[in-house]
Amino acid sequence: MRFGVVATALLSAAVVRADVADDLEEGVSSVSSAVESVTSSALEKPTFTPTTLKAPFLEQFTDDWEARWKPSHAKKENDKSSEEEWAYVGNWAVEEPTVLKGIEGDKGLVIKDKAAHHAISAKFPKKIDNKGKTLVVQYEVKLQNGLECGGAYMKLLQDNKALHAEEFSNASPYIIMFGPDKCGATNKVHFIFRHKNPKTGEYEEKHLKNPPTARIVKTTSLYTLIVKPDNTFEIKIDGESIRNGTLLEDFSPSVNPEKEIDDDKDEKPESWVDEARIPDPEATKPEDWDEDAPFEIVDTEATKPEDWLEDEPASIPDPEAEKPEDWDDEEDGDWIPPTVPNPKCDEASGCGKWESPMKKNPEYKGKWSAPVIDNPAYKGVWKPKKIKNPAYFEDKTPSKFEPIGAIGFEIWTMQNDILFDNIYIGHSVEDAEKLKAETFDVKHPAEKAEEEATAPKPEDPPTNPLDTPFLEDPVTWIKTKLNLFLTIAKRDPIEAIKFVPEIAGGLGVAALTVLAILGSLIFGGASAPSKEQVKDAAKKAKDAAVEGKDKAAAAVASGVEKAQAEANKRTTRSTAS
């Protein structure tokens, strides 16, 4: 009878364990969902608000962007390829980033096609003239698919009556070209300006001699160019000063030509001696100089080594070779096995007929030539005389660029989804900094946080997932612990409490309920638990799971509240400014 009660108790306990385990599993799912929800909400992005700043040109690609920007479908000039290959067929769109979005609702101008020529431009409300003023050019670039070969630079176009957006092309005259460009080993930030020769009226491109390296990342990069009236310039990337210099000294070719140039009519006199060294005309060949003596002679003192096998050939027929089955002596001739090195020669100094080796001839002198001496008639390297440069001019203020009438992106690239945003062109360094604080300084930390959160896990993770620290990855830690506890609890709740005490503490009510039922059944001789008892145990387990969920959610939220606080702080500052 006692045995029957115990058996019934054990069977009932098994039922209780199974039902409670199912309820625990539901609790695990609830906790995991809560953790993921808290993590997601902690990384919520700020919402885009258009700036109130004013500038000669400030573009954030709001809904009315098409009133300003016009794509070009002209054909590239000075090219012999087919029109289809070299027309500006690339499409543009204004949309939010699809990779590492930093601000909700923040849209930018996006290149949509790979391996295509793109061209688009926007006229300024009025021409921008920086004479006597600082010129500030600033814009964001987001390389959502990286950049292997292509440009992401802008052009500030010369103001003229022929400035038609539908005709914008590589031949459209520009004043400044600025921004990143990468292909193969080339990776730089262009700064080129076109300068007019006041005498000839011709334009010449002036290239920065030592351009900085572009940042090829998928987070937003901010490029800033500042040119001051004193001809100094500064290039910043992400607000960090990268390059400084002057327009007069740091560009090639130089702005101002040389004052004097070589006289192209001047010719070197026939009597001019430009040989610095000559053979000594007074030197004579010594009488004992034998030009015919050979370089090497036979070493008559050499003797044949004692182990030299003179009767052995250097190679022998391959003893393992066999005549092919399809060999026909009548058609193919007598079969001759291939030869192999004679193995006997490997154990001796050599095989075959021995001959004395050659040695260098001590009497060899080669062909005689007179020694070289300084030329007493040498006059030096001839150079044409200098004359005044008829094209000389001096422009002391190349920073006074010609008026700028529009901005354009004329680009070929192998990567699509390059995004441009928050373009500032004006005269205020302070306003450009304010725009940076409202946009880049807000989105960049959010992008970096998302990039770090979604970064691939290390290739060699811990062999035991329980080794992962809680603060390093709270979601994985909680999931792993709960799943492990659940798996063991289905077999033996007591062992689960011993093996995963952290979860046992959070779900202690459920575990203690199971132990109490088992104790009363086995040691108290009571009958099997009722259905109400089973339901009560499940309810307590669920309540404990909810409590564990709240604690886990709070723990995860504390791990990211610092980043959220920083983002909120930046947003508040931007709104206030």
Side-chain angles (χ1 to χ4, degrees), residues 185-327:
T186 299
N187 183 13
K188 60 186 175 182
V189 178
H190 285 295
F191 177 20
I192 306 170
F193 68 93
R194 291 175 72 247
H195 183 265
K196 183 178 180 180
N197 185 318
K199 288 195 172 184
T200 64
E202 295 181 354
Y203 287 86
E204 189 174 46
E205 291 183 348
K206 310 297 182 181
H207 294 248
L208 181 61
K209 293 179 182 177
N210 186 25
T213 301
R215 293 188 178 171
I216 311 302
V217 294
K218 293 186 179 182
T219 54
T220 298
S221 295
L222 182 70
Y223 291 90
T224 306
L225 170 66
I226 302 171
V227 181
K228 296 183 178 180
D230 62 358
N231 301 313
T232 61
F233 73 88
E234 181 180 16
I235 295 176
K236 296 181 178 181
I237 303 180
D238 297 349
E240 177 187 1
S241 183
I242 300 297
R243 191 75 76 246
N244 294 272
T246 72
L247 303 183
L248 291 170
E249 298 176 359
D250 296 293
F251 288 78
S252 179
S254 61
V255 170
N256 296 315
E258 298 291 335
K259 291 183 178 181
E260 292 185 329
I261 59 173
D262 292 339
D263 184 359
D264 57 2
K265 297 181 180 179
D266 191 17
E267 296 181 356
K268 182 173 68 173
E270 294 182 0
S271 60
W272 189 274
V273 178
D274 53 9
E275 294 178 342
R277 303 267 293 171
I278 59 172
D280 186 354
E282 299 181 358
T284 58
K285 184 175 67 174
E287 294 182 359
D288 61 345
W289 191 285
D290 185 2
E291 292 183 341
D292 298 326
F295 178 74
E296 289 184 325
I297 58 174
V298 176
D299 185 359
T300 58
E301 298 179 357
T303 59
K304 183 175 66 174
E306 294 182 358
D307 63 342
W308 189 276
L309 304 177
E310 195 161 6
D311 296 331
E312 288 287 342
S315 60
I316 60 173
D318 186 355
E320 298 180 0
E322 297 180 359
K323 183 170 70 172
E325 295 180 0
D326 59 349
W327 187 275

Side-chain angles (χ1 to χ4, degrees), residues 399-449:
S399 59
K400 293 181 179 179
F401 300 121
E402 293 189 13
I404 303 168
I407 178 178
F409 292 98
E410 188 265 317
I411 289 171
W412 179 89
T413 176
M414 287 296 294
Q415 278 68 49
N416 62 344
D417 288 343
I418 298 174
L419 183 147
F420 305 103
D421 199 6
N422 295 312
I423 304 171
Y424 175 93
I425 301 173
H427 308 294
S428 173
V429 175
E430 292 75 15
D431 284 351
E433 285 288 334
K434 290 179 181 178
L435 182 62
K436 169 180 173 290
E438 293 179 11
T439 56
F440 178 80
D441 290 350
V442 174
K443 70 175 63 174
H444 193 253
E447 292 175 351
K448 294 293 289 183

Side-chain angles (χ1 to χ4, degrees), residues 517-575:
I517 294 174
L518 290 174
S520 63
L521 289 174
I522 297 174
F523 301 105
S527 60
S530 66
K531 186 175 181 180
E532 287 72 19
Q533 287 177 307
V534 173
K535 287 185 178 180
D536 182 60
K539 182 178 182 301
K540 291 180 179 179
K542 282 187 178 180
D543 293 341
V546 171
E547 182 181 357
K549 173 189 69 176
D550 295 338
K551 291 181 179 180
V556 175
S558 66
V560 293
E561 64 182 359
K562 184 178 180 181
Q564 181 63 51
E566 179 64 17
N568 292 338
K569 182 171 62 177
R570 292 181 181 275
T571 305
T572 302
R573 286 205 305 266
S574 300
T575 304

Side-chain angles (χ1 to χ4, degrees), residues 31 56 68 92-93 111 126 147 149-150 185 326 358 470 483 536:
V31 173
R68 297 179 294 277
W92 298 87
I111 289 175
K126 56 185 294 187
L147 187 63
C149 189
D326 59 349
M358 303 294 288
F470 173 78
N483 287 333
D536 182 60

Side-chain angles (χ1 to χ4, degrees), residues 312-348:
E312 288 287 342
S315 60
I316 60 173
D318 186 355
E320 298 180 0
E322 297 180 359
K323 183 170 70 172
E325 295 180 0
D326 59 349
W327 187 275
D328 190 328
D329 291 340
E330 293 182 1
E331 294 183 3
D332 302 326
D334 293 336
W335 180 77
I336 301 175
T339 59
V340 295
N342 189 344
K344 294 181 179 180
C345 299
D346 294 338
E347 301 175 358

Side-chain angles (χ1 to χ4, degrees), residues 20 86 117 188 204 278 323 365 389 427 486-487 496 572:
V20 172
W86 291 94
H117 295 270
K188 60 186 175 182
E204 189 174 46
I278 59 172
K323 183 170 70 172
K365 294 183 179 180
N389 184 358
H427 308 294
L486 177 61
T487 300
T572 302

